Amino acid sequence: MRMVDLIEYKKNNGEFNHQQIRFIIDGYVEGSIPDYQMSALLMAICFQGLTLKETALLTKVMEESGDIIDLSKIEGVKVDKHSTGGVGDKTSLVLGPIVAACGGKMAKMSGRGLGHTGGTLDKLESIPGYQINISEEDFINQVNEIGLAIIGQSASLVPADKKLYALRDVTGTVSCIPLIASSIMSKKLASGADTILLDVKYGNGAFMQTIEEAKELAQTMISIGKHCHKNTRATISSMSQPLGNAIGNSLEVIEAIETLKGNGPGDLRELCLNEGSEMLVQANLYPNKKEAYQALQEVMDNGKALEKFKEMVKALHANGIEIIMDIYFTPGTNLFLMTDCLRNWVMQYHVDGFRVNQEVMPSLTLASDPVLSGVKIFGNYWDVAALSQAGISSRKNTLAEYNEGFLCNVRRFLKGDEGMVEKVVHSFARNESAYSVVNFITHVNGFTLMDLVSYDIKHNESNGEGNRDGAEINYSWNCGVEGKTRKRTVMDRRMTQIRNAFLMLLTSQGTPMILAGDEFGNTQMGNNNAYCHDDEVTWLNWNKTKRSESIFTFVKNMIAMRKSFRVFRQDHPLQMMDTLSCGMPDLSMHGVQAWRPDYSNYSRMLGMLYYGAYTAEWDGRSVYLIYNMYWESKSFDLPDLPTNGSWKVMVDTYDNTFDASLLSVPKTAAEKKRKKKAEPYISRKTVVAPRSIVIFVEV
């Protein structure tokens, strides 16, 4: 069987059988069928079409191309819903809670928006902290407990559709109804629900322009459902104008909540009640739509539906996840309105904190408010003098600063820029008494860590913005080759740089913040490429933790080390003085020669000694870090210790070594002082490899 023969066969209006479709899909997913041949076949399908049997077979084979979710552990009938989307379509945010409040079990895996409008996941993620990627076990438990869960679909769910959709998008074959139907239904079938309700939109704001096209698509998908023995129904609704009054992810979330309160726009309320009644009848919870409609009205009016939305947020707390909302207030917004808005989120939805634009929302208002003072507030700066004048002393548990300076200094030091040693000393040691400092090297609006060590210049080609957006200066280094490479030397260098970055972050004072996906080497093929689209660039494939075991294990080890050594997480600023009169400062700086730090412009070497006597629970464990960001190996002195202790290597980023035995608490300091001077484990000089970090622990 050859692909060229199958293209010719469909061009002449032949009908594919199961074996032929299996050959096509399997071959394209595994890469033996190239894009140019699949493009030709898609165009032939657009012109010749597919029979209902062919469409059903294609759907089934695509469904089986990846994981199939097993929801059998969820009690009762599992219902799911899909909308073809449109401007202002926030139906799922309302529909899920009202159906759950009437006894339904809605286990929904949603996608992001395509084109000009956000999808359900985009809307939910306008509540920062809302976790769209949870384990299958947590997903099932949440549906069993509260009747509702809306999460992102797994990257391993229907991989055939992911490849085909990307190809259709650039070959003018998106509008083919059999291909649309198989794309939607393959994902719905793989998601494991017992019933499926399809909301097919038509009109100026929808993909289907006419009601006839919408009916054809609906009938095709229902036929696929019947062929696959899945209870499938469809509704057809107009999208000639935006649904509701609000457009924009965060605004649509607010309007959905108002609808759950019974105060939403009439068109959104009516659509949700009609679709919800269909779903409840499908699930055999009500005998007819009239009774189901009345029940949905009741839960919407008495507040039970709104409670389900709150329960969904609480379920995240049960999994140890805090919800921090990112709220941007427009300049000129009334202060009382802003304050009431934040208070409402705290009191009604129990969110754990906010990040606000302090240029508009005064910092003192947040810090002194009787309701808001008890939650976490993240900002770009805090005026210590103003806080003190207002009678606010230390709020390290509630007030935090996003430390942009840490990102810039550490990135530049990591890539070997000149004149950075003194600056990173301040970044590594910075701690504040009045508020917390949040350190990070990567964040959502730029390079991932893997991309930081893979590109010299910005790359925004994949987000459709023509490389016009994104920061021009990223302080990145490609380690020798721009972008993807199979060169072993370059990949080894990148892995070392990633380990260096994680070590710098997790051994610095303050609170470390890790961008999701960095722990397994996630890439977005450039900075800001995840902006406003839904494909493999934007997804987090947690299965990669197995393929990137080296990075993943290193990060876990660094977290364990940070927890074990109090010197890295002190609750007060370091003085760099001998305040205990013990012969050693709490933190001291060194160069290639002990006690002689080199802050010259050409220096790229630094030693930092954290003396264990200054921790709250003194166990005598001092730690010495040597940073060599030079491109050649360097010899360093090891400073002597008053306790006559010896140094032992715990971490070496160049060799990727980690001695877990040193995590355990050694003998007490008093016992150490009674010991005779021990033979050192290594010489008083040590050689540190190029562009690497070594951590020594006192033994």
Side-chain angles (χ1 to χ4, degrees):
M1 192 179 303
R2 299 189 307 164
M3 186 62 176
V4 64
D5 297 326
L6 295 173
I7 295 171
E8 191 73 30
Y9 183 65
K10 177 50 67 177
K11 188 176 73 172
N12 295 322
N13 204 24
E15 183 176 347
F16 289 142
N17 57 35
H18 183 270
Q19 184 182 4
Q20 290 168 323
I21 292 174
R22 175 74 65 184
F23 173 83
I24 294 168
I25 297 301
D26 288 353
Y28 187 55
V29 172
E30 69 182 22
S32 60
I33 295 176
D35 282 347
Y36 60 84
Q37 286 190 314
M38 183 57 77
S39 299
L41 180 63
L42 292 175
M43 189 60 69
I45 291 173
C46 278
F47 283 117
Q48 299 294 356
L50 295 174
T51 65
L52 287 176
K53 183 180 179 181
E54 285 180 296
T55 307
L57 288 173
L58 174 61
T59 303
K60 193 64 179 175
V61 173
M62 288 170 60
E63 175 199 353
E64 294 169 351
S65 67
D67 295 343
I68 297 176
I69 308 300
D70 181 10
L71 301 181
S72 59
K73 294 181 181 179
I74 298 177
E75 302 168 1
V77 179
K78 283 72 71 177
V79 299
D80 196 1
K81 165 260 178 190
H82 177 82
S83 171
T84 56
V87 179
D89 187 2
K90 70 280 294 177
T91 314
S92 294
L93 303 181
V94 179
L95 197 56
I98 64 174
V99 168
C102 290
K105 296 293 179 68
M106 189 166 175
K108 180 169 174 59
M109 294 186 179
S110 291
R112 301 188 183 276
L114 295 171
H116 57 278
T117 182
T120 300
L121 294 187
D122 301 306
K123 295 173 177 54
L124 288 172
E125 283 190 328
S126 67
I127 311 174
Y130 188 97
Q131 182 59 270
I132 64 167
N133 296 302
I134 62 177
S135 68
E136 187 173 324
E137 182 182 358
D138 290 337
F139 177 59
I140 290 171
N141 290 338
Q142 184 173 322
V143 178
N144 274 328
E145 291 172 8
I146 67 174
L148 171 64
I150 303 176
I151 64 171
Q153 68 183 47
S154 164
S156 56
L157 197 77
V158 198
D161 179 65
K162 295 174 177 62
K163 290 196 69 175
L164 280 173
Y165 192 92
L167 191 62
R168 288 164 55 206
D169 194 37
V170 296
T171 55
T173 55
V174 173
S175 59
C176 178
I177 285 180
L179 296 179
I180 296 172
S182 59
S183 172
I184 293 172
M185 290 300 294
S186 62
K187 290 178 288 191
K188 291 292 113 181
L189 292 170
S191 298
D194 298 317
T195 72
I196 302 169
L197 178 69
L198 304 162
D199 179 15
V200 183
K201 307 287 190 182
Y202 72 94
N204 297 331
F207 192 74
M208 298 291 149
Q209 293 294 296
T210 67
I211 192 170
E212 289 76 18
E213 291 176 326
K215 286 181 178 179
E216 184 182 353
L217 177 59
Q219 289 167 352
T220 303
M221 291 191 290
I222 291 173
S223 297
I224 294 172
K226 288 180 179 179
H227 187 272
C228 298
H229 310 289
K230 188 72 67 174
N231 186 338
T232 307
R233 297 187 183 186
T235 63
I236 297 178
S237 56
S238 175
M239 191 54 80
S240 294
Q241 60 184 20
L243 184 61
N245 301 323
I247 300 173
N249 294 331
S250 59
L251 295 176
E252 289 181 48
V253 171
I254 295 171
E255 186 168 80
I257 292 170
E258 288 299 312
T259 304
L260 290 171
K261 292 179 178 179
N263 302 325
D267 58 343
L268 177 60
R269 176 185 171 97
E270 188 64 23
L271 179 63
C272 292
L273 290 173
N274 281 320
E275 292 191 354
S277 58
E278 284 280 5
M279 295 176 72
L280 293 176
V281 173
Q282 275 185 289
N284 298 319
L285 293 171
Y286 289 86
N288 55 65
K289 285 186 63 177
K290 183 179 179 181
E291 291 186 27
Y293 189 100
Q294 291 173 345
L296 291 167
Q297 274 187 313
E298 185 177 343
V299 298
M300 189 178 288
D301 294 337
N302 63 20
K304 289 184 178 180
L306 183 61
E307 287 301 315
K308 284 295 175 184
F309 188 90
K310 294 178 182 179
E311 286 178 22
M312 189 166 63
V313 175
K314 290 178 182 179
L316 297 176
H317 289 157
N319 290 321
I321 301 169
E322 290 188 342
I323 299 178
I324 309 297
M325 295 187 63
D326 196 343
I327 296 184
Y328 181 86
F329 290 112
T330 305
T333 305
N334 182 276
L335 176 61
F336 296 105
L337 178 61
M338 292 189 289
T339 307
D340 284 348
C341 174
L342 300 183
R343 287 173 179 169
N344 182 66
W345 279 108
V346 172
M347 293 186 293
Q348 292 294 322
Y349 303 99
H350 310 290
V351 301
D352 302 283
F354 307 95
R355 182 187 181 188
V356 299
N357 50 327
Q358 292 169 288
E359 300 82 3
V360 179
M361 185 71 179
S363 302
L364 285 180
T365 300
L366 296 167
S368 58
D369 186 87
V371 175
L372 302 178
S373 61
V375 300
K376 293 179 172 64
I377 306 293
F378 292 80
N380 295 325
Y381 63 89
W382 290 98
D383 189 332
V384 177
L387 290 173
S388 179
Q389 276 187 340
I392 301 169
S393 53
S394 178
R395 287 278 183 82
K396 290 182 71 71
N397 292 330
T398 57
L399 303 183
E401 174 194 309
Y402 278 111
N403 190 3
E404 291 275 0
F406 184 93
L407 178 149
C408 296
N409 291 338
V410 171
R411 283 188 178 188
R412 294 187 66 187
F413 185 56
L414 184 68
K415 70 190 288 282
D417 282 358
E418 295 180 345
M420 296 309 302
V421 173
E422 190 170 4
K423 292 179 180 179
V424 293
V425 166
H426 174 74
S427 292
F428 293 153
R430 188 189 172 199
N431 205 348
E432 300 290 343
S433 300
Y435 55 87
S436 297
V437 176
V438 178
N439 298 323
F440 54 95
I441 300 175
T442 53
H443 57 91
V444 296
N445 293 327
F447 280 125
T448 68
L449 189 53
M450 177 60 78
D451 292 337
L452 187 71
V453 301
S454 302
Y455 298 97
D456 273 357
I457 59 177
K458 73 171 188 177
H459 291 269
N460 301 145
E461 297 89 355
S462 297
N463 69 7
E465 295 295 320
N467 209 33
R468 294 170 297 187
D469 65 334
E472 296 288 345
I473 301 175
N474 295 282
Y475 305 118
S476 59
W477 177 46
N478 64 20
C479 296
V481 176
E482 189 75 359
K484 291 184 178 180
T485 181
R486 293 186 177 180
K487 290 186 176 181
R488 189 72 264 164
T489 55
V490 176
M491 286 303 302
D492 288 345
R493 196 175 297 133
R494 289 177 180 178
M495 292 300 103
T496 302
Q497 286 289 80
I498 287 174
R499 290 192 288 270
N500 289 340
F502 271 117
L503 190 148
M504 291 178 187
L505 178 64
L506 290 166
T507 58
S508 299
Q509 304 296 309
T511 301
M513 183 173 73
I514 299 174
L515 177 66
D518 279 352
E519 70 273 27
F520 57 78
N522 181 55
T523 176
Q524 295 175 350
M525 297 181 293
N527 59 327
N528 211 34
N529 266 335
Y531 173 73
C532 201
H533 65 125
D534 179 26
D535 59 21
E536 292 179 350
V537 175
T538 67
W539 301 326
L540 286 178
N541 186 354
W542 300 103
N543 292 327
K544 288 184 178 179
T545 56
K546 299 176 182 178
R547 296 195 293 271
S548 304
E549 185 68 29
S550 174
I551 302 175
F552 193 61
T553 300
F554 184 83
V555 176
K556 289 196 295 183
N557 289 337
M558 291 303 96
I559 292 173
M561 182 185 69
R562 181 179 178 87
K563 290 182 176 179
S564 297
F565 289 88
R566 182 75 183 184
V567 293
F568 297 131
R569 48 189 181 88
Q570 302 196 46
D571 54 7
H572 57 273
L574 296 170
Q575 302 299 309
M576 301 187 193
M577 298 172 61
D578 184 8
T579 58
L580 296 180
S581 300
C582 61
M584 296 285 286
D586 52 4
L587 173 63
S588 55
M589 306 305 153
H590 308 258
V592 293
Q593 295 180 299
W595 304 103
R596 293 187 179 182
D598 185 358
Y599 295 138
S600 68
N601 193 51
Y602 299 104
S603 175
R604 295 171 176 85
M605 289 79 72
L606 173 67
M608 298 182 73
L609 198 163
Y610 294 87
Y611 195 55
Y614 290 87
T615 57
E617 57 278 347
W618 182 26
D619 55 24
R621 296 195 294 175
S622 299
V623 181
Y624 188 52
L625 295 91
I626 299 180
Y627 305 86
N628 180 21
M629 296 297 108
Y630 204 69
W631 49 86
E632 295 177 351
S633 298
K634 292 289 180 179
S635 178
F636 288 80
D637 291 340
L638 293 173
D640 291 330
L641 290 165
T643 58
N644 291 328
S646 301
W647 293 113
K648 188 174 182 180
V649 175
M650 182 178 189
V651 181
D652 188 331
T653 61
Y654 189 83
D655 296 329
N656 192 21
T657 56
F658 178 77
D659 189 348
S661 67
L662 295 174
L663 292 177
S664 59
V665 180
K667 295 186 178 187
T668 65
E671 290 175 320
K672 281 178 175 282
K673 288 179 179 179
R674 289 194 296 268
K675 286 174 61 180
K676 294 181 180 179
K677 187 173 181 177
E679 290 294 323
Y681 285 82
I682 58 176
S683 65
R684 292 302 172 110
K685 283 187 176 289
T686 188
V687 176
V688 179
R691 300 189 183 277
S692 64
I693 308 170
V694 180
I695 298 181
F696 299 86
V697 177
E698 183 189 6
V699 295

